[in-house]
Amino acid sequence: MKGFGLGQSGAETGGHPPVGGRRISGAGEKAKRKAGFRTNDASAAGWRTKTAGFLIGAALAAGIGYLFYKSWLASMILLPFGWLAVPGLQGWLSARRRRELAGQFRQFLYAFSTSLSAGRSVENALLAAERDLAMIDPSGKSLLCRELKAMNGQIRNGLSAEKAFARFAERVPIQEAAQFSAGFSLCKQTGGDLGEKIEMQQEMEAITAQKRFEAKAMAVIPFALIAFLAFGSPDYMAPLYDGIGRLIITVVLLLLAGCHVWITRLMRLEV
């Protein structure tokens, strides 16, 4: 297929041929140091996310404990359940990050495929894709822009395009990147299919956006009603805060939690 000549990388990208199969430079140590900084930053970000998730979850658990039992002791007992919010927050942030990456990856696929169709080599097509994404994101702070820049640097330093794509797929946490890396030899055809898949997934999310909002509203409304009755008509709700009423309100809380889990699973979209 035209445009897949990996042997043209040195001539067409303007780089020098590697010596003994590898380029000798100080870039390796610099890359290791940067990788170490990224690892430390990722670890710190992970702890910040866990802390934020626990604080949010603890606040919600304490509020629910007081709302359902009218007891600060119940609020304190439920505080440790704040850790249950950590996976939810991490999952939400991860899903949002994957959606953003999928959109950026689709733009990359279109730019890369267009360059290959014009007869460019893989290396030059990657450089053109990096320039195209830089026009969309001049700051260059998006993950895909940084990964493309790193991948082009690795290829200039003598790494094969196949290995560069494999490392790219390991670092970018979306399924389409792994599929694209596995089918790299047919990237012109595969790239269009993956682009259509990402576009279809985004269309499905847009179509179901109202239903997902309704699901969130359904999860919040019961708590709002209980709060309205508990503080607006305390005498009406008083039997639920004493004797067998506590057992009834506990069952209600468990049923609401089960419904929330069920609705969350129903709203998951897979293409």
Side-chain angles (χ1 to χ4, degrees):
M1 184 179 295
K2 190 175 181 180
F4 283 86
L6 297 179
Q8 301 175 7
S9 59
E12 293 189 348
T13 59
H16 298 289
V19 179
R22 297 183 64 184
R23 179 180 296 274
I24 300 175
S25 68
E29 291 299 325
K30 185 182 293 186
K32 289 180 181 179
R33 289 196 296 269
K34 288 184 178 179
F37 292 147
R38 285 197 297 267
T39 302
N40 292 335
D41 291 343
S43 178
W47 275 107
R48 286 196 295 269
T49 301
K50 290 180 180 179
T51 303
F54 172 72
L55 292 177
I56 294 172
L60 289 174
I64 290 173
Y66 187 79
L67 176 63
F68 276 72
Y69 299 101
K70 282 290 184 71
S71 168
W72 289 111
L73 178 61
S75 297
M76 297 298 294
I77 293 175
L78 291 178
L79 275 179
F81 287 92
W83 284 112
L84 296 177
V86 174
L89 179 62
Q90 289 177 327
W92 178 77
L93 291 175
S94 179
R96 186 180 69 173
R97 184 166 175 257
R98 284 196 299 269
R99 285 195 298 269
E100 293 175 354
L101 279 174
Q104 296 169 8
F105 191 66
R106 185 181 63 173
Q107 295 170 349
F108 159 72
L109 287 177
Y110 289 157
F112 186 58
S113 299
T114 301
S115 297
L116 290 176
S117 299
R120 293 181 177 178
S121 68
V122 172
E123 293 79 4
N124 282 339
L126 284 172
L127 289 172
E130 181 184 345
R131 289 193 296 268
D132 291 344
L133 289 182
M135 294 177 63
I136 299 175
D137 180 20
S139 65
K141 293 182 179 179
S142 65
L143 176 60
L144 199 61
C145 286
R146 296 199 305 267
E147 291 298 338
L148 269 179
K149 185 176 181 180
M151 187 162 56
N152 284 325
Q154 291 169 354
I155 293 175
R156 283 195 297 268
N157 284 333
L159 189 69
S160 67
E162 291 89 347
K163 291 183 178 179
F165 268 115
R167 294 182 181 180
F168 169 79
E170 291 175 358
R171 294 190 300 267
V172 178
I174 55 176
Q175 183 182 7
E176 291 78 11
Q179 292 175 349
F180 180 74
S181 176
F184 171 64
S185 61
L186 299 175
C187 68
K188 185 176 180 181
Q189 294 83 357
T190 308
D193 295 339
L194 288 176
E196 292 175 2
K197 176 182 176 182
I198 297 172
E199 186 174 1
M200 183 184 299
Q201 188 171 11
Q202 291 177 339
E203 289 178 358
M204 288 178 60
E205 290 179 353
I207 292 172
T208 59
Q210 181 178 356
K211 297 300 180 183
R212 285 186 281 115
F213 175 78
E214 292 175 359
K216 293 177 182 178
M218 289 174 61
V220 173
I221 286 175
F223 294 95
L225 288 175
I226 293 174
F228 176 77
L229 293 173
F231 295 102
S233 301
D235 295 337
Y236 181 79
M237 294 289 289
L240 291 176
Y241 296 108
D242 190 21
I244 196 171
R246 294 184 180 274
L247 177 60
I248 296 173
I249 202 72
T250 300
V251 172
V252 171
L253 180 59
L254 292 175
L255 288 174
L256 288 174
C259 289
H260 176 70
V261 173
W262 181 51
I263 292 174
T264 301
R265 291 186 176 180
L266 284 178
M267 297 309 296
R268 288 179 182 172
L269 296 176
E270 296 292 341
V271 180

